[in-house]
Amino acid sequence: MKAPFCIAMLAVLVTGSAFAQNAPQTSTRKVDGTDNVYIFRYGGHQAMFVVTPQGVIATDPISYLRPAKPYIDAIKAVTDKPIKYVIYSHHHYDHIAGGQPFKDLGATFIAHRRTRERLLELKKQKSLLADVVMPDQVVDDRKSITLGGTTLELNYVGRNHSDNSLVMRLPKQKLVFVVDFAPIEQVQFRNIPDNASPLEYIDSLKKLASLDWERMIPGHPYAGGRLGTKKDVEDDIAYMEDLSAEVKKAADAGTCFDTAMKDVKLPKYAKWANYETGLPANVERFCYWWARGY
């Protein structure tokens, strides 16, 4: 299966690339206003880890085609407590590859049920990366993990960038960790691959916005590396709805695909990252929906 490989490579090139070029390869920072929540950045990817008196809850290994040791070392630099859990955001290799060293340390892996199904299919095809760990536990719609007095809530909000993305919410800290489907001041990724329905995508963003949180840790360092807000998600919803409406007009006029990809413009979002390069591909995805029905 080539899709995870392609998505992984392109995500590195497109998302947060400008930030990554001007920063060290790795960095760790505590989230302001918290006692135990950290962001580990590895190139253009980010993961969250939470330190408790009984151990660490880590997220995405983000070690695709590179060693996981820097991430593990970053955790060890903060605490000597064991890594008890690793939570996958979704099944794409650029976020979940590199987990085996965490497993070797005794971590329990958790993911959405469909993540496990996809990885089992890759394993059956003998194409699963050797350092990708199969989840030990799975989530359907919601699951909570409590460790050392900290609760992490795992929420499935529907199909979007994948059909198995989890929103990880820390209720006490009013933080969420959200990967790939809610970019900050950036158009959606290319032609929104691995997506069954762009309208379901919009609905998932609305469900994300409806959860109780104040700040969002993204899976890539968008907009200079800042955390996201509810307004950022509301802006994503507005962009997707504006895009959908304009492409529907083009489909009704019979100008999908090539003409629409050249002519549809959304100047309101022209300052967003990847607008010039990404908008035509975003238009293409909605053309499939409004002109072809899929």
Side-chain angles (χ1 to χ4, degrees):
M1 181 178 290
K2 297 181 179 179
F5 176 83
C6 294
I7 291 171
M9 294 305 293
L10 290 167
V12 172
L13 293 173
V14 174
T15 312
S17 57
F19 178 85
Q21 287 171 4
N22 298 313
Q25 179 68 359
T26 65
S27 64
T28 305
R29 61 180 168 126
K30 184 188 288 186
V31 176
D32 291 345
T34 73
D35 296 325
N36 62 343
V37 182
Y38 295 81
I39 300 171
F40 173 70
R41 183 189 55 77
Y42 200 171
H45 291 73
Q46 295 187 150
M48 175 185 76
F49 67 92
V50 185
V51 178
T52 84
Q54 294 180 4
V56 176
I57 303 172
T59 64
D60 293 342
I62 56 173
S63 299
Y64 178 67
L65 300 180
R66 58 192 179 186
K69 187 176 185 296
Y71 188 1
I72 293 172
D73 287 348
I75 294 173
K76 288 182 176 180
V78 172
T79 179
D80 61 358
K81 301 300 181 184
I83 301 171
K84 303 292 282 188
Y85 294 101
V86 174
I87 319 296
Y88 287 159
S89 62
H90 62 307
H91 72 283
H92 294 165
Y93 281 166
D94 61 320
H95 293 276
I96 71 166
Q100 189 58 51
F102 292 83
K103 189 65 179 173
D104 294 341
L105 293 173
T108 296
F109 280 64
I110 302 176
H112 191 271
R113 184 177 301 278
R114 277 192 289 274
T115 295
R116 191 172 192 276
E117 291 171 356
R118 286 176 176 269
L119 297 182
L120 284 171
E121 182 60 30
L122 288 166
K123 185 176 181 179
K124 181 180 177 181
Q125 296 172 5
K126 301 186 186 304
S127 58
L128 183 66
L129 292 184
D131 63 356
V132 172
V133 175
M134 199 66 63
D136 302 297
Q137 299 177 18
V138 296
V139 182
D140 287 312
D141 292 328
R142 181 174 172 177
K143 180 183 180 73
S144 290
I145 300 167
T146 299
L147 182 69
T150 294
T151 297
L152 177 66
E153 185 181 280
L154 311 179
N155 293 278
Y156 176 66
V157 295
R159 298 190 293 188
N160 40 60
H161 179 74
S162 76
D163 65 358
N164 55 82
S165 296
L166 291 176
V167 173
M168 306 181 205
R169 187 175 77 95
L170 290 162
K172 179 182 177 181
Q173 295 88 348
K174 291 190 177 294
L175 285 167
V176 288
F177 177 56
V178 178
V179 178
D180 284 352
F181 75 90
I184 300 170
E185 296 180 18
Q186 178 169 303
V187 302
Q188 291 290 345
F189 178 61
R190 295 180 67 86
N191 62 348
I192 315 178
D194 194 30
N195 169 255
S197 161
L199 301 190
E200 285 187 51
Y201 198 131
I202 295 170
D203 186 57
S204 78
L205 287 167
K206 291 179 178 178
K207 289 178 180 177
L208 169 60
S210 73
L211 297 175
D212 183 16
W213 58 274
E214 294 176 354
R215 293 181 293 169
M216 176 176 67
I217 299 171
H220 299 277
Y222 305 104
R226 72 172 176 85
L227 301 190
T229 65
K230 282 283 183 81
K231 185 180 184 303
D232 289 313
V233 176
E234 291 164 357
D235 288 346
D236 283 334
I237 294 167
Y239 167 75
M240 293 282 274
E241 290 185 332
D242 290 349
L243 176 64
S244 179
E246 289 302 308
V247 175
K248 188 177 188 306
K249 292 177 186 176
D252 291 345
T255 61
C256 275
F257 288 75
D258 293 345
T259 300
M261 289 171 67
K262 290 186 295 183
D263 292 351
V264 171
K265 302 295 180 184
L266 296 173
K268 178 181 176 181
Y269 308 96
K271 293 184 179 180
W272 280 16
N274 297 329
Y275 173 83
E276 294 292 340
T277 57
L279 180 63
N282 284 194
V283 171
E284 180 183 36
R285 177 64 189 95
F286 276 89
C287 266
Y288 275 109
W289 183 256
W290 291 120
R292 296 291 186 270
Y294 60 90

